[in-house]
Amino acid sequence: MKESKSGSRAGNTSSRSAAGTGQASRPDAIPDLAELSQQMAGIAERSQRLVADFLSRQGGDGGIGMADPMSIGAAFFEMTARMMSDPSRLVQAQLSLWQDYMTLWQRTAQRFLGGQAEPPLVEPAPEDRRFRDESWSNNALFDYVKQSYLLSARWLQGVVKNVEGLDESTARKVDFYTRQFVDAIAPSNFVMTNPEVLRATIESRGENLVNGLKNLLDDLERGKGRLAISMTDMTAFKIGENVAATPGKVVYQNDLIQLIQYAPTTETVKRRPLLIIPPWINKFYVLDLRPQNSFIRWAVTQGHTVFVISWVNPDERLARKSFEDYMREGPLAALDAMEQATGEREANVVGYCLGGTLLAATLAYMAAKRDSRVKSATFLVTLVDFKEAGELSIFIDEEQLRSLEERMEKKGYLEARDMHTTFNMLRANDLIWSFVVNNYLLGKQPFPFDLLYWNADSTRMPAAMHSFYLRKMYQQNLLAQPRGITLGGVKIDLRKVKTPAFLLSTREDHIAPWRSTYAATQLYSGPVKFALSASGHIAGVINPPGSKYGHWENDKNPPDAEEWLAGATSHQESWWPVWEKWIARYGGGEVPARQPGDGKLKPIEDAPGSYVKVRAED
């Protein structure tokens, strides 16, 4: 489920220049191919020993097995049939591509002959970091390689997008997997067509590739035969020390949650405590990374008595835990425990992503039960209407769901790495290919980055809960339908939710598209404030005061999301202070600060607790 930025630092590559290459260190120099050939032969010999060493350590566990890929052949077969039914359209597209190629070739030939470089026919998107090395523009050969690729990519994606007669699901699937193919064949991903990698290879006499192979084998071993790409230095962080380090105590636990109460930093606090429900697709400490970007720590400094649910990392023993169990043993159990801990029955509640989806369903359940304990609800990047659920819906058709359920039934849960891979595919260039180049081609070690450490700390999904969630919400979109799903004997109706709500979405969200999350403004019956943050699903939320991302506000909630944006006002600062001003109205006055353990619940262990420390691969 998940958005981040990659970084890199120099690894163990040598800075020695390759003898006899002359201009090899210049960004626009073409390497000596004869010397490069000799280096590659040496690398092959050394690599063979490394591979043999890796295989000898596998220990006969039955071999290296990959999960069967999702079937997409039918979608491409239908696309091809539709395309060939109108061959003139394809011929026209091929003619246009041929003309672009001819123009590019003529301009490149003139440049090789000393002519003036003309403006490029095609440019990478501003956010595309693959071609930022200056050789992609300064060197005529690599500029030709880059533009040839971009023209071909544009043509291929344009052809599949313009096929008429495909149903929406098939069209999305074809477009998504075509983009995966296009991203995979980028010249930046290969040694001989990446000028930065070629320079490193010449200067280090191939040491970068040997180091890269070591990194590759280490990642294969860590993934037990499946490639688990290292995105950060996993040894640089320790839960409870430099991430998830806000002081507090675990004051309650059951099969599914540990409830953490954080120590106050103010003399007085708001009477109503604050409960945060994170998603259980990931671990809660995305909200408690470093002190300077910890939403939890910041909320404590604003005078909230903060409680956070830390979900268990489930195994086969919890296979039958349902979505209803997550409601009962999650927010409902937490509210009961908070009353014992503080003596306060009422609370304000925040739900993040899937945690927000659960919060919405819980509020509808509580409304039916005439339970009015929740006085305000904050929904962070939360889908409740899944009609337009973004690219994740590509993975939710009947064939793929049946296959997924069969896999989950064997173990009782969905493997954490399966979910992790799915989310990474949504942003393959940033979350897959940039690390392939950095780690395996340049031979560098990934940079220590707290957000990427959290991103790699994935969780499993219980089979029963996950099947219900995917089918009832993503596939059938029943949560948004009045009385569409039943939890605890109650037919859930979001229209019955009258709790004041703050909805925060992010403009570049690829997991919970903001126009889809906006639909909730038309569902709830109580007062709703909608705000839109810049950036994406993670960076737009973890956006403390003083950071670079602003937000938009609009006092009105028209039916159409684009109409809302057209009438919204842009603000340069973080949304956090805006939310604090809003939620302070529901604080219920001030009381002396509460320490964990002051009430009827005695501390079980120090925050962040033991549940969060269980890793999926353990």
Side-chain angles (χ1 to χ4, degrees):
M1 85 172 180
K2 315 176 184 169
E3 172 184 311
S4 18
K5 293 184 179 178
S6 62
S8 62
R9 64 178 179 180
N12 298 321
T13 53
S14 170
S15 60
R16 296 172 296 175
S17 297
T21 57
Q23 298 177 332
S25 62
R26 285 172 36 202
D28 58 346
I30 299 176
D32 185 319
L33 296 183
E35 179 172 351
L36 182 61
S37 177
Q38 292 178 348
Q39 292 173 8
M40 296 298 284
I43 290 168
E45 181 181 350
R46 295 163 71 183
S47 299
Q48 187 175 10
R49 293 196 299 269
L50 290 170
V51 172
D53 179 60
F54 168 75
L55 292 175
S56 69
R57 285 180 282 149
Q58 296 311 296
D61 60 354
I64 296 173
M66 292 284 288
D68 291 335
M70 296 179 181
S71 174
I72 58 170
F76 277 90
F77 181 82
E78 182 179 351
M79 183 270 293
T80 304
R82 297 280 184 180
M83 183 188 300
M84 296 313 297
S85 67
D86 185 7
S88 62
R89 187 185 294 266
L90 182 59
V91 169
Q92 185 178 7
Q94 289 175 322
L95 220 82
S96 176
L97 177 65
W98 177 251
Q99 290 171 343
D100 286 337
Y101 276 160
M102 289 301 297
T103 302
L104 176 61
W105 173 248
Q106 290 169 358
R107 292 183 179 184
T108 303
Q110 291 174 358
R111 190 173 174 185
F112 271 121
L113 294 173
Q116 186 73 21
E118 297 191 41
L121 281 174
V122 59
E123 290 272 27
E127 67 274 10
D128 189 344
R129 295 192 287 271
R130 294 174 295 177
F131 303 104
R132 291 191 175 180
D133 187 282
E134 59 183 10
S135 293
W136 288 112
S137 299
N138 294 347
N139 183 287
L141 175 60
F142 288 117
D143 183 50
Y144 175 79
V145 170
K146 174 191 70 178
Q147 291 196 62
S148 296
Y149 164 74
L150 292 173
L151 287 173
S152 300
R154 184 176 68 183
W155 172 82
L156 184 57
Q157 291 178 286
V159 165
V160 300
K161 276 187 176 180
N162 292 328
V163 175
E164 295 181 348
L166 294 178
D167 64 87
E168 186 176 353
S169 175
T170 300
R172 282 186 173 184
K173 190 180 296 185
V174 168
D175 179 65
F176 177 80
Y177 284 105
T178 299
R179 192 168 71 252
Q180 297 299 310
F181 170 73
V182 166
D183 290 345
I185 64 170
S188 53
N189 297 335
F190 301 93
V191 175
M192 299 303 294
T193 51
N194 186 323
E196 184 182 6
V197 174
L198 277 174
R199 282 201 310 276
T201 304
I202 293 297
E203 292 173 0
S204 70
R205 297 184 180 273
E207 188 175 345
N208 61 306
L209 298 179
V210 174
N211 289 335
L213 182 59
K214 291 178 181 177
N215 292 340
L216 174 64
L217 296 175
D218 287 344
D219 287 348
L220 282 168
E221 186 168 34
R222 185 167 55 86
K224 297 182 174 70
R226 292 181 62 171
L227 184 60
I229 301 175
S230 297
M231 295 184 178
T232 187
D233 180 0
M234 299 295 288
T235 65
F237 302 97
K238 188 171 183 180
I239 293 174
E241 294 185 7
N242 54 1
V243 292
T246 300
K249 302 288 185 181
V250 174
V251 295
Y252 170 83
Q253 71 180 38
N254 58 33
D255 285 348
L256 287 181
I257 74 167
Q258 285 191 321
L259 184 66
I260 301 170
Q261 180 181 353
Y262 289 94
T265 59
T266 54
E267 291 185 2
T268 62
V269 293
K270 297 172 177 64
R271 176 173 63 85
R272 291 171 181 154
L274 179 72
L275 172 64
I276 299 177
I277 310 171
W280 54 93
I281 289 176
N282 302 101
K283 294 185 178 178
F284 81 88
Y285 66 90
V286 67
L287 296 167
D288 189 27
L289 294 169
R290 293 166 292 127
Q292 58 266 38
N293 65 354
S294 169
F295 180 81
I296 290 171
R297 185 181 292 261
W298 182 84
V300 169
T301 67
Q302 303 305 302
H304 293 278
T305 302
V306 178
F307 290 80
V308 171
I309 288 175
S310 174
W311 298 100
V312 73
N313 202 342
D315 56 22
E316 63 277 0
R317 294 171 295 178
L318 301 179
R320 305 326 303 168
K321 289 290 185 180
S322 65
F323 198 87
E324 179 182 321
D325 291 324
Y326 270 74
M327 178 183 73
R328 291 191 183 278
E329 299 180 45
L332 292 178
L335 288 170
D336 291 340
M338 288 165 61
E339 183 175 357
Q340 295 183 62
T342 65
E344 178 57 49
R345 185 172 184 274
E346 299 173 339
N348 297 307
V349 185
V350 176
Y352 188 175
C353 189
L354 177 52
T357 305
L358 177 63
L359 173 59
T362 303
L363 289 175
Y365 173 86
M366 295 175 75
K369 295 290 187 177
R370 301 187 184 279
D371 185 340
S372 59
R373 284 180 288 173
V374 178
K375 296 305 176 183
S376 80
T378 299
F379 298 92
L380 305 179
V381 290
T382 296
L383 280 169
V384 294
D385 186 335
F386 290 77
K387 181 180 179 181
E388 297 291 338
E391 289 189 329
L392 280 177
S393 60
I394 292 163
F395 303 95
I396 315 296
D397 59 31
E398 185 59 32
E399 181 183 5
Q400 292 180 95
L401 281 178
R402 282 201 305 268
S403 174
L404 180 65
E405 287 168 343
E406 289 173 3
R407 297 211 315 271
M408 289 194 296
E409 280 300 316
K410 292 178 180 178
K411 291 188 174 182
Y413 55 83
L414 177 67
E415 289 275 13
R417 60 190 178 189
D418 291 343
M419 185 70 71
H420 183 68
T421 299
T422 297
F423 282 115
N424 287 348
M425 286 175 67
L426 300 181
R427 296 180 59 240
N429 281 330
D430 287 339
L431 296 178
I432 297 176
W433 296 113
S434 66
F435 294 100
V436 168
V437 173
N438 182 79
N439 300 3
Y440 307 148
L441 301 187
L442 293 174
K444 297 179 180 180
Q445 296 297 320
F447 188 78
F449 189 8
D450 55 359
L451 189 58
L452 290 177
Y453 176 84
W454 165 83
N455 184 58
D457 192 6
S458 302
T459 55
R460 310 179 192 99
M461 297 288 107
M465 181 287 302
H466 201 54
S467 179
F468 178 93
Y469 173 55
L470 294 180
R471 285 193 175 277
K472 300 297 184 183
M473 298 179 193
Y474 269 99
Q475 187 188 40
Q476 301 171 29
N477 193 25
L478 293 180
L479 179 60
Q481 309 305 315
R483 303 167 65 85
I485 66 171
T486 300
L487 297 174
V490 171
K491 293 187 179 298
I492 298 301
D493 188 348
L494 297 184
R495 298 174 304 174
K496 304 296 184 182
V497 176
K498 298 180 180 180
T499 309
F502 184 103
L503 277 59
L504 186 280
S505 298
T506 55
R507 193 165 185 178
E508 298 171 22
D509 200 327
H510 59 288
I511 294 172
W514 82 267
R515 292 169 183 82
S516 299
T517 60
Y518 181 82
T521 64
Q522 311 302 306
L523 289 173
Y524 305 134
S525 297
V528 175
K529 178 175 178 60
F530 184 87
L532 182 65
S533 177
S535 194
H537 194 75
I538 304 298
V541 174
I542 312 306
N543 183 26
S547 58
K548 61 182 178 179
Y549 298 122
H551 71 280
W552 291 263
E553 294 182 60
N554 189 338
D555 292 333
K556 299 179 180 179
N557 295 325
D560 182 68
E562 291 297 338
E563 185 180 348
W564 181 93
L565 184 60
T569 302
S570 175
H571 302 273
Q572 296 303 310
E573 67 274 10
S574 163
W575 64 271
W576 289 15
V578 177
W579 170 81
E580 172 57 29
K581 182 179 179 181
W582 176 86
I583 202 171
R585 291 180 288 172
Y586 307 101
E590 298 286 319
V591 297
R594 313 167 174 113
Q595 293 290 339
D598 283 351
K600 295 180 180 180
L601 296 181
K602 298 309 175 185
I604 298 172
E605 60 181 321
D606 289 338
S610 53
Y611 281 15
V612 73
K613 295 178 181 179
V614 176
R615 299 186 66 86
E617 62 269 22
D618 292 344

